[in-house]
Amino acid sequence: MNPSVSKPLPEGVVRVTQVLRDKGHPHAPVMLSDAARTAQQAADALGIQLGQIAKSIIFKRKPDAAAVLVITSGDRRVDEKKVQALVCADGQKLGRADADFVKASTGFSIGGVSPVGHATAPVTLIDRDLLRFEEIWAAAGHPHGVFKLHPDDLAHLTGAPIVDIALQEVL
């Protein structure tokens, strides 16, 4: 007899699972058979609307190099000027974060950045457009990992404010 062997969860998913458990979140991460590095790939794999994907985008605040996490709906683009106005003091700027910065500051690779379980707590903002949905899905620390939640859960899980930071155009 050959017992089935399950692969251990990736370290990032383990970290996210622990945070969700500690905060009493009812939905554990699930692993998709295919990678979902983009919001569209995740939506297709889950059979949901693109907007139901809570995509996590990391920016880099200059000059202090703080990570800024923006969680927005998969069918929206972030208005960087709005984000900068909310998280930067006079003279500070917001810049794009490269893959090395994302990995070093969050502990996650691009395509698997979760709203929770970061290596270093980022400055976090949640876009109000996510509130259009009863159910959303977010990355769980790995390109194959996702977890289900209600948009209001994001504020509870992250402590972040819900603000208007999306451009009005729909992707």
Side-chain angles (χ1 to χ4, degrees), residues 71-111:
I71 307 165
T72 191
S73 192
D75 63 353
R76 299 289 194 254
R77 287 188 22 181
V78 173
D79 186 332
E80 291 180 42
K81 290 180 182 174
K82 288 180 181 178
V83 175
Q84 183 172 297
L86 290 167
V87 302
C88 294
D90 286 343
Q92 287 183 324
K93 297 283 184 196
L94 196 65
R96 298 268 176 180
D98 64 20
D100 291 336
F101 178 81
V102 172
K103 182 70 171 175
S105 62
T106 69
F108 304 123
S109 297
I110 291 174

Side-chain angles (χ1 to χ4, degrees), residues 128-150:
R128 73 173 182 201
D129 279 346
L130 281 165
L131 298 176
R132 297 176 288 154
F133 302 100
E134 281 299 311
E135 177 184 288
I136 58 174
W137 289 77
H142 186 273
H144 288 255
V146 293
F147 68 98
K148 181 169 68 169
L149 66 163
H150 185 276

Side-chain angles (χ1 to χ4, degrees), residues 7-130:
K7 295 187 338 189
L9 289 174
E11 187 272 331
V13 178
V14 171
R15 221 170 47 237
V16 170
T17 300
Q18 188 62 51
V19 171
L20 295 176
R21 189 177 301 128
D22 290 350
K23 296 210 176 223
H25 187 71
H27 304 289
V30 295
M31 298 299 288
L32 302 172
S33 56
D34 293 321
R37 287 186 170 84
T38 68
Q40 188 64 63
Q41 288 172 333
D44 291 347
L46 293 164
I48 60 174
Q49 295 176 51
L50 178 59
Q52 288 178 269
I53 298 298
K55 62 183 178 183
S56 296
I57 303 167
I58 299 290
F59 293 95
K60 184 177 183 179
R61 188 169 64 191
K62 301 173 184 177
D64 68 353
V68 176
L69 168 63
V70 174
I71 307 165
T72 191
S73 192
D75 63 353
R76 299 289 194 254
R77 287 188 22 181
V78 173
D79 186 332
E80 291 180 42
K81 290 180 182 174
K82 288 180 181 178
V83 175
Q84 183 172 297
L86 290 167
V87 302
C88 294
D90 286 343
Q92 287 183 324
K93 297 283 184 196
L94 196 65
R96 298 268 176 180
D98 64 20
D100 291 336
F101 178 81
V102 172
K103 182 70 171 175
S105 62
T106 69
F108 304 123
S109 297
I110 291 174
V113 177
S114 175
V116 299
H118 291 248
T120 304
V123 175
T124 304
L125 300 173
I126 301 165
D127 185 54
R128 73 173 182 201
D129 279 346
L130 281 165

